[in-house]
Amino acid sequence: MSTSGIVYRPRRLRTTPRMRRLVAEHRLHPGDLVLPLFVKEGLAEPAPIASMPGQVQHTEASLRDAVADAARAGLGGVMLFGIPAERDATGSAGDAPDGILQRGIRVAREAVAAVEEETGRPGPVVMADTCLDEFTDHGHCGVLTADGTVDNDATLERYASLAVAQARAGAEVVSPSGMMDGQVAVIRDALDDAGFTDVSILAYSAKYASAFYGPFRDAVDSALQGDRRTYQMDAANAREGLREADLDLAEGADMVMVKPAGTSLDVLRGVADRADVPVAAYQVSGEYAMIEAAAAQGWIDRRGAVLESVLAIKRAGTDVVLTYWATEIAEWLG
């Protein structure tokens, strides 16, 4: 408590809620949060996702409502994932002009515009997942070779087409999540050549092969057999995550992302310390499901655990947090 007669009492800055608020080093703000949303082709009504209580696969109509709610709550963005009625080996539904994800993007842009006119405030940025796994009949993030491995360079051609299709539909940010080498550079060239120089790229730069993605695969009706360890990163490697981020920055990424957030806080801190662009982190489906499950049993305080988990991600250095609680957190923040 004392050194050379000086008495140190750090508890003075914790005495009241007012004091703690005044000296808080990090804060949550709705504008920092992005809500992931799933839109599925052919649904008559929203379909609950059993492993993600409170989350649904949306119809186009319910997607519109969810985006409008996000806009009124002041969220910074929405990230859209599409689930098609039919899949094939190359994920051709992913870049179809009237594919489910492109329709969802258009619905989201219309919903944002309507709420902006209603409130006079900026709405959320509309982002799209730029990957093939939701659209392929094998569930991998790329085109397969004859022996069943993912063909990196053939997949890049598909990503370029996906990104341009999403930009044409109105996506303001495309988000390559497949961890293919060179994906950012190829997408940037494709967007620029198609005249979409203002469309940003949020690169999934350090995306680990994680057990915490399980509920997400339920959410997108994944057809995956096997795993993605030949292209997603090994959870043992931190330096590799930093190198991946450096490569994406060199290729022109406008933002970089670390995923999963909660088990990669060290990597997130390292990326934040070296990046000169905004840094995002994705609080993934398994992180969501664990807290929801424990709270449902009465083992933890749900609101407290949600806020603490997201604040820890902010504290590690992120600017933007993708979380399934985004709208609810915004409402709590008032």
Side-chain angles (χ1 to χ4, degrees):
M1 287 180 56
S2 65
T3 302
S4 302
I6 300 174
V7 176
Y8 294 97
R9 293 190 179 273
R11 287 181 56 189
R12 291 188 187 113
L13 299 182
R14 307 170 199 154
T15 52
T16 65
R18 296 191 303 278
M19 183 64 76
R20 293 191 294 274
R21 181 182 63 179
L22 175 67
V23 300
E25 297 176 30
H26 300 276
R27 304 175 195 275
L28 297 179
H29 186 278
D32 302 334
L33 305 177
V34 173
L35 177 67
L37 292 166
F38 307 100
V39 58
K40 182 174 180 178
E41 195 166 30
L43 286 181
E45 58 185 22
I49 302 167
S51 57
M52 298 178 67
Q55 302 300 309
V56 301
Q57 295 172 324
H58 284 284
T59 66
E60 291 178 55
S62 68
L63 176 69
R64 185 185 303 274
D65 293 340
V67 173
D69 289 344
R72 294 189 184 98
L75 296 190
V78 291
M79 175 69 76
L80 305 185
F81 298 85
I83 308 163
E86 296 183 4
R87 294 166 166 161
D88 58 28
T90 61
S92 59
D95 53 347
D98 200 36
I100 184 59
L101 184 51
Q102 276 64 260
R103 300 205 306 268
I105 291 167
R106 289 191 284 269
V107 165
R109 287 298 302 267
E110 291 168 2
V112 169
V115 175
E116 285 181 334
E117 184 175 357
E118 168 194 317
T119 64
R121 300 193 310 267
V125 172
V126 176
M127 307 175 175
D129 180 62
T130 309
C131 197
L132 288 172
D133 56 321
E134 297 103 291
F135 301 101
T136 55
D137 55 11
H138 47 72
H140 278 286
C141 297
V143 179
L144 300 185
T145 63
D147 66 3
T149 59
V150 173
D151 185 328
N152 191 94
D153 293 357
T155 299
L156 294 182
E157 295 180 17
R158 296 291 298 122
Y159 285 4
S161 183
L162 290 176
V164 171
Q166 292 168 358
R168 286 193 176 123
E172 298 164 278
V173 177
V174 298
S175 308
S177 60
M179 291 297 290
M180 296 297 121
D181 295 339
Q183 62 187 15
V184 172
V186 167
I187 288 172
R188 184 72 272 160
D189 286 347
L191 289 172
D192 291 352
D193 289 347
F196 296 109
T197 56
D198 289 339
V199 172
S200 298
I201 299 174
L202 166 58
Y204 286 60
S205 297
K207 182 179 179 181
Y208 288 88
S210 174
F212 291 96
Y213 300 154
F216 176 90
R217 291 173 186 165
D218 291 341
V220 297
D221 298 338
S222 175
L224 180 67
Q225 299 294 317
D227 60 51
R228 298 173 177 151
R229 294 184 182 278
T230 63
Y231 47 102
Q232 293 179 353
M233 289 178 52
D234 189 331
N237 297 346
R239 287 194 302 271
E240 185 183 5
L242 304 183
R243 182 169 182 260
E244 288 278 10
D246 287 344
L247 290 169
D248 284 348
L249 290 168
E251 291 177 22
D254 299 289
M255 297 176 273
V256 292
M257 177 139 71
V258 176
K259 178 183 180 182
T263 56
S264 310
L265 296 178
D266 58 329
V267 179
L268 179 55
R269 178 73 267 167
V271 171
D273 285 343
R274 68 207 292 127
D276 57 359
V277 301
V279 175
Y282 198 143
Q283 186 179 45
V284 301
S285 59
E287 297 175 80
Y288 174 91
M290 286 193 303
I291 290 178
E292 289 290 346
Q297 293 295 321
W299 295 336
I300 58 174
D301 172 63
R302 179 178 180 273
R303 177 167 171 167
V306 168
L307 291 173
E308 184 177 336
S309 67
V310 178
L311 189 58
I313 297 166
K314 285 286 291 180
R315 195 177 67 229
T318 190
D319 302 292
V320 176
V321 181
L322 282 76
T323 175
Y324 298 97
W325 290 299
T327 302
E328 191 170 10
I329 291 171
E331 292 168 352
W332 290 342
L333 296 175

